[in-house]
Each structure stands twice: as C-alpha cells, then as structure tokens.
Amino acid sequence: MNALQIATLLIVFAGAFGAVNHIIFRLPSAIGILIVAFVASLGVLGLDALNPNLGVAEEMRRFVADTEFSRTLLEGMLGLLLFAGALHVRVEDLREQAWTIAVMATLGVALSVTIVGFGFHWVTGMPLLVALVFGALISPTDPVAVLGVMTQAKLPKSLEAKIIGESLFNDGVGYVVFLVLVGLAFQPAGGHATADPIGIILFFMKEVGGGALLGGVLGFLVYRVMRRIDDYPLEILLSLGLALGGYQLAVALDVSGPIMAVVAGLFIGDIGIKHGMSEENRVHRIFGGAVFRVSEKRVGVPISKRSACRRASYFSERP
C-alpha cells in the first residue's frame, strides 16, 4: 500500500467517523472520532474472529506497519499539530500565566511521571526505570484533544490560557523526559543520556533551549519574508514549510522538535499574523483552521487502528 492510498484511506475514515460522531454521539471531534474509530476497529476484529479466512487482522497489521506509525506521528503529524494549534493561542494570555504554565509543564510532568511510574512498578512488578518510561509516555496531556475541547468549552480566559499553555509545552517537556528515561533504562541498546546528573541537565537544556531558540529564529525569518509579500496561498505554504521543515531540522540538529513547533507557531500566530500576513489571510486564518481540524481528525484514526492491531496480535498469537 503506497503513501497516497494510506492518506486516502485515513481521510475517508476520518470523514466517515466524524459524520457518525456528529450525528449520533455529538462529542468533541478529537474525542468522538477516536472513540468511533476504536469501536469500528474492534468490530473489524470481531468479524475476523468469526471468519478467520477473511484475514482482516493480518491486513490491519500490514497497514500499520506500512504507515511506520511511530515515525509518522512523532516526526510528521506531531510538529504540524503543535504548530497549527499554537497559531490559535495569544502570547499575551500565556505571558500573564507564564509562571503557572511553566510549573505545570515541568514540575507537574515530573510529579505525574513519578506517581504513575512508582504506581505501575508497584502494581505490575516491572523494573522501576521501565515503569517510569511508561509514566513519561502517558503523562503529557494531548494538545490536540485539549485545543479541540477548549474551542467549545466556555471557561474563564485565565483558566483556558493555563490549560492550553500547559498542554502545548508539556508535550515537548514530556518528550525530553521520555528520551532521558529511555537512555537510562535501556543503556546497552544505546541511550540518549547517561546516569550523570550533570549530563541529564545539559541534555535537557540543549533539547528544550535549543528547540525554543530554533523555533524563534525560524519563526522570525519566515515573518520577515511574510512582510515582503501579499499573497495568502504563498503565506500558507511558508507556514506549512516552517512547521514541517523546521521540525525535521530540529530532529537533524538533535534538539526538541515539539518545542520548536510550539515556539514557531506562537511567533507566527501572534507577531506574524498581526504584522506579516496579508489582510485576507488574517481574516480567514485558513492554515490554522483547516490544517488543525483536518489533522486532528486524521490522528484519531491511526491511533485507534494501532491499538486494535496490538489486540489482534495478542489474540492471533494465543494458542
């Protein structure tokens, strides 16, 4: 299955599941589509259990393997989603709640990782470092779901700024913490960090500080280019190139791609839209609205398929 066929299937599934959610469940789109896709995946697995000759489970596993899900999500969709989501956030609102957001996105993530890790270690008996890796994996809140819910919820502006700001930045912080813990837990396989506390701190500063610096520099350069043009399709292409190309550059430079995407998105969404984008693009906000909504719907479908495929592997391997 080639890339075009995979993209086509994801768009078709996202549209169909979105329609079911809108007509029947009426949940926030990011949550509703994920639930509908998960239920549909379980239904397909049930059909395969009733008639194994259909080979549905094997085809689903092949589909997920062809998409290279982890790499596609972390190095492709994640940067695009964070950038597009950050376009809708006012820097002024974040500045007013900066200390609260910083504490929630750093100490809050560390506390969550510790509680979840020790709890998982106590319940399952898994090695503590491996359990902490699991804690780092699930502790950051999903910025896609949070931003989708916040567009429909009627909350005080201060509370909304805290929740959105924390959801944007804790993803990057959680990703760095995850890399550090993976390096500690699986050192023989070649980790990202050593057990030296100074090395861990330097690694964290390089990832977060380097990602923020790169996002600011690239955002400023794109903003300067936008000021010299008045063509909104070109401005959208520049924004798209900043989100995807900047993330790949961050990966190549070994700094945090999620932090780069958030900072660049905040820069373009605040300064770039006010002073660099054309009037037509400021009115319609095409990139931020369309890409964000399409991307958040497409993400729910492969996540559900991957979850269902894991269950398919489990049941198919049982004696």
Side-chain angles (χ1 to χ4, degrees):
M1 186 174 293
N2 58 42
L4 179 60
Q5 291 172 325
I6 292 172
T8 301
L9 282 176
L10 290 179
I11 292 175
V12 171
F13 287 148
F17 296 157
V20 172
N21 172 63
H22 183 78
I23 296 172
I24 300 176
F25 299 107
R26 297 190 176 276
L27 294 171
S29 59
I31 299 174
I33 290 177
L34 180 61
I35 293 175
V36 174
F38 183 70
V39 172
S41 299
L42 292 180
V44 171
L45 292 181
L47 180 64
D48 185 74
L50 294 175
N51 189 356
N53 294 329
L54 293 177
V56 178
E58 181 62 31
E59 185 63 28
M60 289 180 66
R61 284 196 295 270
R62 187 181 301 111
F63 174 84
V64 173
D66 289 344
T67 61
E68 296 184 3
F69 179 83
S70 297
R71 183 175 181 181
T72 300
L73 181 63
L74 289 178
E75 297 186 10
M77 291 183 180
L78 180 60
L80 184 62
L81 291 171
L82 290 173
F83 179 86
L87 284 179
H88 295 263
V89 180
R90 294 179 57 194
V91 176
E92 181 180 348
D93 294 338
L94 296 183
R95 189 181 298 117
E96 295 175 357
Q97 309 295 334
W99 284 109
T100 303
I101 293 172
V103 171
M104 293 171 63
T106 53
L107 297 182
V109 170
L111 181 62
S112 176
V113 170
T114 302
I115 293 175
V116 173
F118 274 89
F120 197 64
H121 166 69
W122 179 72
V123 171
T124 65
M126 184 174 291
L128 180 58
L129 278 176
V130 178
L132 289 173
V133 170
F134 174 76
L137 186 65
I138 68 169
S139 289
T141 53
D142 179 10
V144 179
V146 169
L147 289 165
V149 171
M150 287 300 103
T151 58
Q152 303 177 17
K154 304 297 182 181
L155 297 178
K157 285 296 181 182
S158 59
L159 179 59
E160 182 177 326
K162 293 174 185 177
I163 295 175
I164 291 178
E166 192 267 347
S167 70
L168 286 173
F169 285 101
N170 75 3
D171 213 59
V173 173
Y175 182 56
V176 174
V177 173
F178 173 77
L179 292 179
V180 171
L181 290 173
V182 166
L184 295 176
F186 307 104
Q187 289 188 42
H192 292 270
T194 66
D196 179 18
I198 302 299
I200 293 175
I201 293 174
L202 291 177
F203 172 79
F204 186 86
M205 293 178 61
K206 179 176 74 72
E207 285 279 328
V208 176
L213 178 62
L214 179 63
V217 170
L218 293 179
F220 176 76
L221 293 176
V222 172
Y223 157 70
R224 296 295 297 180
V225 174
M226 285 181 173
R227 289 196 62 181
R228 302 177 63 88
I229 62 177
D230 187 16
D231 182 1
Y232 77 87
L234 181 56
E235 291 163 2
I236 295 173
L237 286 177
L238 287 172
S239 300
L240 189 61
L242 173 60
L244 297 176
Y247 196 96
Q248 295 302 318
L249 180 59
V251 171
L253 296 178
D254 204 19
V255 298
S256 176
I259 294 293
M260 186 288 308
V262 170
V263 173
L266 290 173
F267 195 100
I268 296 298
D270 191 57
I271 299 176
I273 288 180
K274 288 180 181 177
H275 307 290
M277 286 190 174
S278 65
E279 182 65 27
E280 186 173 3
N281 204 18
R282 281 202 300 271
V283 172
H284 295 291
R285 302 288 293 276
I286 296 174
F287 175 79
V291 172
F292 175 66
R293 287 173 175 80
V294 171
S295 298
E296 81 172 20
K297 289 171 174 56
R298 287 185 60 188
V299 163
V301 176
I303 287 177
S304 296
K305 284 185 174 295
R306 183 174 180 83
S307 178
C309 284
R310 287 177 176 173
R311 287 165 175 76
S313 298
Y314 169 73
F315 286 114
S316 64
E317 292 169 2
R318 291 179 63 184

